[in-house]
Amino acid sequence: MSVSDALGALVAPLNHQLFQVGQDAVTWSELLGFGTGAVCVWLCVRVSVWNFPVGIANNLFFLVLFWSARLYADAALQVVYLVLAAYGWLMWLRGGERRSRLRMGHASRSSLLVLAALVVLATWGLTVLLTRVHDVAPFWDALTTALSLAAQWLLNAKQIENWWFWIAADLVYIPLYFVKALDLTAIVYTLFLAMCLTGWRSWRRELAAARPSDGETVPDRTVTA
């Protein structure tokens, strides 16, 4: 048996259809992808380091989903997210002073300006690429990808501004998925949007409540892996 055949047999159960929602034949990989995605966002709201291993599981489920659907660009993007999640996991556990746990904080204005410029450049570059491969919505897919990568980078640094980028991405994802007739996905992302708003308020309250006069940031509440 070849390696490709072995991998195909391994992921075959994840491609089993469970039920139909409109034109969407929901498989185990899609359902588990949505489930782990929701848990991952909830753990981010709770400032738990466990959001990273759950996020990695989410990437793996969607990797199977997109690869099986021959959406190779989306599948490749899951590998990028997986690498970023692994890096973020390490940062939260060992990215603080003297390799201690990383504390929650704010991104500097200069870093946000640089990140915004990179989002613009990445959106332009990905739009050109996706147009050439006949993506159905090249600009919007490029924009949401760039925003999501920026959000993940800020989350890895445990900076509250990550929620701004997640919220912006979700505001585009929701109508985009409705237009693509992916109603279940659009509903799930509406839930993600609500959780992101909750996360932003929760992180802001913690930073405000735990900021003493000397400017010390909020004590870390992450759960060790």
Side-chain angles (χ1 to χ4, degrees):
M1 179 181 291
S2 66
V3 174
S4 60
D5 290 338
L7 289 175
L10 182 64
V11 303
L14 292 175
N15 292 323
H16 176 69
Q17 182 179 339
L18 297 174
F19 52 87
Q20 191 88 14
V21 177
Q23 298 179 354
D24 187 6
V26 180
T27 62
W28 273 114
S29 59
E30 187 172 8
L31 186 64
L32 291 172
F34 289 148
T36 52
V39 173
C40 181
V41 177
W42 179 77
L43 289 170
C44 288
V45 174
R46 301 290 298 170
V47 204
S48 170
V49 74
W50 284 100
N51 83 84
F52 291 106
V54 173
I56 289 172
N58 174 261
N59 300 143
L60 292 173
F61 288 131
F62 277 127
L63 174 60
V64 172
L65 175 67
F66 292 139
W67 188 268
S68 300
R70 297 185 179 182
L71 299 172
Y72 299 122
D74 289 331
L77 186 60
Q78 296 307 309
V79 177
V80 176
Y81 285 140
L82 192 153
V83 172
L84 285 175
Y87 173 69
W89 193 358
L90 178 62
M91 283 290 294
W92 276 38
L93 291 175
R94 296 289 183 267
E97 294 182 5
R98 299 179 181 179
R99 298 183 63 80
S100 62
R101 297 181 195 171
L102 190 64
R103 293 176 179 270
M104 185 192 299
H106 286 281
S108 66
R109 181 175 299 180
S110 59
S111 65
L112 288 174
L113 288 174
V114 170
L115 202 57
L118 290 174
V119 167
V120 172
L121 289 174
T123 300
W124 173 78
L126 287 170
T127 299
V128 173
L129 176 63
L130 293 174
T131 299
R132 290 178 178 175
V133 297
H134 308 293
D135 186 274
V136 294
F139 171 75
W140 298 111
D141 282 339
L143 177 61
T144 51
T145 297
L147 288 170
S148 297
L149 291 172
Q152 184 65 50
W153 183 264
L154 289 169
L155 178 63
N156 287 356
K158 211 172 188 180
Q159 293 170 338
I160 190 174
E161 289 78 10
N162 80 87
W163 295 111
W164 299 356
F165 288 85
W166 289 125
I167 290 168
D170 288 345
L171 287 172
V172 179
Y173 272 129
I174 293 168
L176 179 63
Y177 284 133
F178 273 124
V179 169
K180 291 182 176 182
L182 297 173
D183 294 351
L184 177 61
T185 304
I187 292 170
V188 170
Y189 271 84
T190 302
L191 172 62
F192 287 171
L193 175 60
M195 295 174 71
C196 286
L197 290 168
T198 300
W200 174 69
R201 289 194 296 265
S202 176
W203 282 40
R204 187 178 62 170
R205 281 196 302 268
E206 289 201 29
L207 279 173
R211 186 183 299 121
S213 58
D214 62 359
E216 182 182 354
T217 55
V218 63
D220 183 71
R221 295 196 303 106
T222 58
V223 180
T224 56

